[in-house]
Amino acid sequence: MMLLSPTWTAILYLAAAVCFILALKGLSSPKTARRGNLIGAAGALVAVVTVFLSVKLDNIPWIIAAIAVGSAIAAPVARRVQMTQMPQLVALFNGVGGGAAALVALLELGHSDDPWVRLAIAFTLLVGSVSFAGSMVTFAKLQELMTTRPVVFPGLPIIMAAVLLAAIAASVAVIFTSAIWIAVVLIVLGLATGVLLVLPVGGADVPIVISLLNAFTGLAVAASGLVLGNVLLVVAGTLVGASGTILTRAMASAMGRSVAGILFGAFRGGSTAGSTVASDRPVRSSSAEDVAVLLGYAQRVIIVPGYGLAVAQGQHTIAELQAALEARGIEVIFAIHPVAGRMPGHMNVLLAEANIPYEALKEMSEVNREFKTADVALVVGANDVVNPAAKTTPGSPIYGMPILEVDAARQVVFLKRSMRPGFAGIENELLFEPQTTLLFGDAKDSLGKVLTAVKAL
């Protein structure tokens, strides 16, 4: 088979790189996210086909078999995954990417005498294995295969420092010796580093670490591109690394915390995972019919969705409630916190799935000034992102986190399953305020009852 010329290979790689850039641009908005995803997939397809047409490959049947097996596993999983489990899927895919980069670097060791290439190999081995192991731990935490609380024990910081120093020493040895056994030791040390890095992270901090590990995978892929002499891998990995870093910083900022505080906060008691014991303080609860009266005779309603809405799969019911209220001439908008749910954009995607107009979704910076004009703020499955402790209680795990200022509304209605705290593990003082009433139960069931009562008004 005649191979593509270097010129055509470069042109096709450039086209794929442009697709990746356009994909990131498209993913910046819910309106264009689907198109951006398709453009990115098209770019990946062009890149894979170009490799087959431009490089004389050995073991093609094995390569095709590997692609087939991977596709057979990934496609059904991606189609069936629930929105509440999307962060776990991202963690798995991210970890596999980092592990693959490390394995490629291991196989390439010994094929080059260039110290700079060996440096890239050592970097890929270490960072790729850190990303793989760390991502597997974040998956286990979010999937509740292990505790979501921080795991710390005496001497953990010293052990982490010792493992990291040993990994750096092994990296230097790989550069100067190209010994396979040292490379394997480096991978093991990288795996240990990844586990030790993520164990102390708990609660709402876990999705942020997933984003950080995604940036690590991008850097590992970029370094593997240097190892293989593949410019497109360098471009793609750099894009992933940069976007993952930006997203990590944005998520940390949305929680009012530093990345270092997220990673090492548990050592000084600063984790966002606290008590899981339900409060026994008295609150004002209500019936679905009473909530329907509050909503049905309001002029302006702001709905605050959270993870509980996603768990209950109540997005379609809340869309029906929005339509029923608007049919009565009531203005309804949705307040979206950057880290509501388990990842940025979680609520946007969830509500878009129910065909709620993008124009009705207001980001925190835009909607906070509007709460004081709201007759009712309806909080569905959210907790920490509306907790006034972030503004009023120094020393609280969420102190300093920007929140949705729900407490400024005239009336607040909370739909909660129980009085158990949110991810931060602390009580929400807003639940005990005189303008707040609670409707207990599964979010979807409660919304259904409220919807029926609104239609009966």
Side-chain angles (χ1 to χ4, degrees), residues 296-386:
Y297 292 99
Q299 292 182 324
R300 199 158 197 261
V301 174
I302 299 180
I303 300 175
V304 181
Y307 183 67
L309 177 67
V311 171
Q313 290 292 289
Q315 63 270 28
H316 297 284
T317 309
I318 210 169
E320 291 183 56
L321 178 61
Q322 177 203 24
L325 293 175
E326 290 180 339
R328 296 176 62 88
I330 301 167
E331 181 185 2
V332 181
I333 60 175
F334 292 80
I336 308 298
H337 192 280
V339 293
R342 286 277 180 92
M343 62 184 189
H346 196 164
M347 294 299 107
N348 303 71
V349 175
L350 190 74
L351 298 175
E353 185 182 308
N355 295 317
I356 293 174
Y358 296 122
E359 293 74 19
L361 310 183
K362 306 293 183 181
E363 298 297 328
M364 180 175 62
S365 58
E366 179 184 3
V367 78
N368 265 348
R369 60 178 175 269
E370 301 188 36
F371 276 109
K372 60 179 177 291
T373 66
D375 297 297
V376 182
L378 178 64
V379 183
V380 186
N383 194 75
D384 297 329
V385 297
V386 300

Side-chain angles (χ1 to χ4, degrees), residues 181-334:
W181 72 270
I182 298 179
V184 173
V185 169
L186 177 57
I187 289 177
V188 172
L189 291 170
L191 294 173
T193 302
V195 172
L196 294 173
L197 183 68
V198 179
L199 280 180
V201 179
D205 295 336
V206 176
I208 301 177
V209 175
I210 290 176
S211 177
L212 179 63
L213 293 171
N214 185 56
F216 284 7
T217 293
L219 295 175
V221 169
S224 70
L226 295 175
V227 173
L228 297 173
N230 188 301
V231 175
L232 185 59
L233 273 180
V234 175
V235 172
T238 302
L239 288 173
V240 173
S243 58
T245 301
I246 292 170
L247 180 59
T248 301
R249 290 180 59 85
M251 293 175 70
S253 176
M255 293 188 67
R257 308 183 67 205
S258 67
V259 176
I262 289 167
L263 290 175
F264 308 114
F267 296 144
R268 57 178 184 273
S271 168
T272 59
S275 172
T276 59
V277 178
S279 172
D280 58 0
R281 292 170 61 184
V283 294
R284 185 161 65 103
S285 60
S286 189
S287 65
E289 290 73 20
D290 292 334
V291 171
V293 170
L294 275 178
L295 295 173
Y297 292 99
Q299 292 182 324
R300 199 158 197 261
V301 174
I302 299 180
I303 300 175
V304 181
Y307 183 67
L309 177 67
V311 171
Q313 290 292 289
Q315 63 270 28
H316 297 284
T317 309
I318 210 169
E320 291 183 56
L321 178 61
Q322 177 203 24
L325 293 175
E326 290 180 339
R328 296 176 62 88
I330 301 167
E331 181 185 2
V332 181
I333 60 175
F334 292 80

Side-chain angles (χ1 to χ4, degrees), residues 121-157:
I121 289 174
F123 180 87
T124 306
L125 290 171
L126 176 58
V127 177
S129 54
V130 167
S131 178
F132 175 78
S135 296
M136 294 305 106
V137 176
T138 58
F139 168 80
K141 282 177 175 280
L142 290 179
Q143 196 66 21
E144 297 183 354
L145 299 177
M146 62 179 294
T147 178
T148 59
R149 295 171 61 80
V151 177
V152 293
F153 50 85
L156 177 57

